[in-house]
Amino acid sequence: MAEQVPDKFLDLFQKPALAHLATVMADGTPQVTPVWVDYDGTYILINTVKGRQKAVNMERRSQVGLDIVDPGNPWHWLSVRGHVVEVDEQAANEHIDKMAKKYTGQDRYANHNPNLTRAIYKILPDRVISSQA
């Protein structure tokens, strides 16, 4: 059953806090990548280029984990276990510009390459663990 992100942790998605996304490689070993992260009220959103290792892993096996730690307070953190329920290529270029504004202050993503296909991986949280000291 899906879980919601507690209201007192929504601020982590408003500030430029990196998430560390854990996926599973084909051989069963973990792969962890720091990523920009967003939340739409239901799904955690990860935007990446199709074909990158994390994308390949999420498409092969939908289960993921991610942690977000407040850059200003390491005791304010959120850990999520969930699964990818949708991959959206249509809104991905607009979304990466939104993420660039949040993380870099720039209106457009500086590394946009029209020859690469971006996608938003929508993760439904199955388990949410949080802490605030």
Side-chain angles (χ1 to χ4, degrees):
M1 180 189 305
E3 290 190 17
Q4 293 287 350
V5 173
D7 287 345
K8 70 180 183 175
F9 293 89
L10 293 177
D11 67 308
L12 292 172
F13 297 99
Q14 304 306 315
K15 57 182 76 173
L18 288 176
H20 288 86
L21 175 70
T23 62
V24 179
M25 299 288 288
D27 66 2
T29 59
Q31 191 255 352
V32 179
T33 307
V35 294
W36 293 353
V37 64
D38 198 9
Y39 183 63
D40 70 3
T42 301
Y43 303 108
I44 294 175
L45 310 175
I46 303 297
N47 189 317
T48 192
V49 170
K50 300 276 281 185
R52 289 196 177 149
Q53 190 64 60
K54 62 186 161 286
V56 169
N57 291 347
M58 287 187 286
E59 290 177 19
R60 181 178 46 251
R61 182 174 178 178
S62 68
Q63 291 85 5
V64 300
L66 63 92
D67 287 348
I68 308 168
V69 178
D70 188 328
N73 176 4
W75 304 113
H76 180 59
W77 57 265
L78 182 72
S79 183
V80 175
R81 289 180 229 146
H83 63 283
V84 176
V85 295
E86 183 180 342
V87 180
D88 178 5
E89 295 177 16
Q90 300 304 311
N93 286 326
E94 180 179 315
H95 182 257
I96 198 64
D97 287 338
K98 174 186 173 192
M99 294 289 85
K101 184 69 171 178
K102 176 173 129 179
Y103 284 93
T104 70
Q106 302 299 312
D107 290 332
R108 296 198 39 93
Y109 180 59
N111 296 321
H112 179 70
N113 181 339
N115 298 317
L116 299 175
T117 303
R118 295 204 74 84
I120 301 169
Y121 290 77
K122 296 183 178 184
I123 299 166
L124 185 64
D126 297 318
R127 179 80 172 102
V128 177
I129 303 164
S130 54
S131 176
Q132 184 169 357

